[in-house]
Amino acid sequence: MGRILVTGGSGYIGSHTVVALLEAGYEVVSIDDHSRSHDFIMDRIKQITGTEVVNHRINLVDRATLEDFFCNEHTGITGVIHFAAYKAVGESVANPLLYFENNLVGQINLMRCVDQYNIPHFVFSSSCTVYGNPESLPVTESSPLLEPESPYGRTKLIGEAFLRDWVLVCPTRVAALRYFNPVGAHPSALIGEFSRGVPENLLPYITQTAAGIRERLTIYGRDYPTRDGTCVRDYLHVCDVALAHVAALKHLERHTDAPPFDVFNLGSGVGQTVLEMVQAFEEVTGTPLTYTFGERRTGDVVAVYADNRKAREQLGWSTLYSLQDMLRTAWAWEQALSQSHNTRQ
Ligand code: UFG
């Protein structure tokens, strides 16, 4: 098995993927500057897997330090999984340059090093945001890519385009994974999502409301053209997202004749409304939730869910965790956070 470099290995999806890689028998080295994550995550990963992973505290924008890292550490690295990026939509609207620099300059610096050391496989974190407000559902990988709703979305669209052009002139082969809405936490409740300040995303807002940290959830909009008037999204468990990265790496390793750049939707294939999520949370956890309806949130798409056939057929991946698992593990994680308040930020 190869040695895999994970950028953003202490982040939400990154940490779950490090666990999945170790459990699949890969050796892992991580780069994470901890600007949006915590340094104790590698200890938590060790508690789960029994394996120590070294994290190098490097910001990808710092090209000289990144080059030093590759110079010293490239031996044996057969693949890179690139998570390290900022992802808060609202913050990206307020500070586009921060997003362009961190997400795109960081990616270019990483691609340079991958190029220099001829690392054969690269997996990229993309997002269903590239489909915008789709005209027909479910979206397939060949659905039209639309003008992004935020600078964050633009960095994902441009990030994919960079890779698409780059593979034409380098031996590296790339899989870009378009995530729909990853939620939940590792069943151990040792790793999960840390929300900075007031959460933007639905699930952390729900669990923080249930925990009494927020007074009430505001459901953005009740007059959308959907079955109950609230927006539809495709939620999937973060551990399933992690397993898809292992599957994508194996696909790149085994299918040397596969396209040098390929994209895969990572979704459950099922759309849930916001109200359905709220009701399912109450049922699964037995915890009532205080909520009200508010105005529509700017930039929200009405409905999006994945056609995930390509990932199922070509990567041999399918979701293992149910909606109930997503909600149960998200709630267990929230309760674990409440018990160790030094970890909440
Ligand atoms: N929602 C609420 N109240 C909240 C938070 C969210 O009603 O307090 C609703 C939103 O309006 C939306 C749904 O819950 O209808 C899901 O919202 P999230 O913020 O959890 O997720 P999004 O689908 O808006 O965002 C996700 C990713 C982004 C990505 C975007 C692309 O988090 O990174 O999909 O569509 F850019």
Side-chain angles (χ1 to χ4, degrees):
M1 301 292 275
R3 183 167 182 241
I4 306 301
L5 168 64
V6 177
T7 74
S10 303
Y12 177 41
I13 304 177
S15 59
H16 289 80
T17 301
V18 171
V19 169
L21 287 166
L22 294 171
E23 286 174 347
Y26 286 96
E27 198 188 318
V28 177
V29 59
S30 165
I31 289 180
D32 194 310
D33 68 354
H34 294 146
S35 60
R36 303 283 161 116
S37 62
H38 292 274
D39 55 5
F40 58 77
I41 291 299
M42 291 300 151
D43 297 334
R44 299 282 180 94
I45 288 174
K46 186 171 178 202
Q47 281 184 58
I48 297 169
T49 63
T51 305
E52 190 134 13
V53 171
V54 174
N55 180 65
H56 297 257
R57 197 164 182 166
I58 298 169
N59 184 316
L60 299 183
V61 172
D62 178 355
R63 184 169 159 190
T65 307
L66 186 66
E67 285 174 351
D68 281 348
F69 165 83
F70 269 88
C71 182
N72 298 327
E73 291 285 335
H74 70 274
T75 309
I77 295 181
T78 56
V80 172
I81 305 185
H82 176 40
F83 294 105
Y86 294 160
K87 59 162 193 171
V89 174
E91 182 186 42
S92 80
V93 173
N95 197 348
L97 288 180
L98 176 71
Y99 274 65
F100 298 153
E101 179 168 52
N102 186 72
N103 293 8
L104 294 175
V105 176
Q107 183 184 332
I108 292 170
N109 289 345
L110 182 63
M111 287 160 70
R112 274 185 200 283
C113 293
V114 169
D115 215 43
Q116 185 176 350
Y117 293 100
N118 288 317
I119 295 171
H121 309 127
F122 191 99
V123 180
F124 178 64
S125 293
S126 189
S127 164
C128 69
T129 191
V130 299
Y131 298 118
N133 212 349
E135 274 179 15
S136 67
L137 290 168
V139 286
T140 72
E141 288 79 357
S142 50
S143 293
L145 304 181
L146 300 182
E147 179 66 12
E149 295 282 352
S150 69
Y152 158 76
R154 194 175 297 282
T155 66
K156 291 300 169 189
L157 199 62
I158 294 176
E160 278 195 16
F162 283 172
L163 293 163
R164 205 183 284 272
D165 288 345
W166 178 57
V167 296
L168 301 178
V169 294
C170 80
T172 303
R173 289 180 311 115
V174 175
L177 305 182
R178 292 179 179 158
Y179 313 146
F180 282 66
N181 289 58
V183 296
H186 192 268
S188 65
L190 286 167
I191 56 174
E193 184 165 22
F194 292 94
S195 298
R196 286 157 53 91
V198 181
E200 274 193 30
N201 294 122
L202 179 64
L203 243 287
Y205 211 105
I206 287 179
T207 57
Q208 289 196 10
T209 306
I213 299 163
R214 310 282 157 211
E215 205 179 321
R216 67 174 66 82
L217 169 75
T218 303
I219 296 180
Y220 299 132
R222 65 187 309 182
D223 58 351
Y224 283 103
T226 61
R227 51 187 175 267
D228 60 21
T230 64
C231 292
V232 171
R233 294 290 183 276
D234 182 335
Y235 299 91
L236 77 165
H237 198 283
V238 64
C239 290
D240 278 327
V241 178
L243 288 169
H245 290 76
V246 177
L249 263 186
K250 287 188 186 296
H251 172 79
L252 291 171
E253 288 164 5
R254 285 180 191 147
H255 300 277
T256 45
D257 54 343
F261 175 87
D262 217 349
V263 294
F264 298 91
N265 282 345
L266 293 189
S268 71
V270 179
Q272 309 284 346
T273 69
V274 179
L275 262 181
E276 286 164 353
M277 290 300 280
V278 167
Q279 283 152 6
F281 179 85
E282 291 181 326
E283 264 166 42
V284 167
T285 64
T287 309
L289 210 64
T290 311
Y291 63 87
T292 54
F293 290 96
E295 295 296 306
R296 289 181 176 199
R297 182 171 69 173
T298 311
D300 264 342
V301 303
V302 180
V304 63
Y305 53 92
D307 181 327
N308 61 13
R309 249 176 315 173
K310 187 172 171 190
R312 282 194 282 120
E313 287 169 8
Q314 295 189 26
L315 303 183
W317 169 84
S318 57
T319 53
L320 302 176
Y321 292 81
S322 66
L323 182 64
Q324 286 69 27
D325 296 330
M326 299 176 211
L327 298 166
R328 202 177 297 117
T329 56
W331 182 226
W333 168 244
E334 183 65 54
Q335 290 173 303
L337 276 180
S338 296
Q339 279 156 23
S340 59
H341 30 121
N342 57 331
T343 59
R344 190 186 290 291
Q345 271 194 8

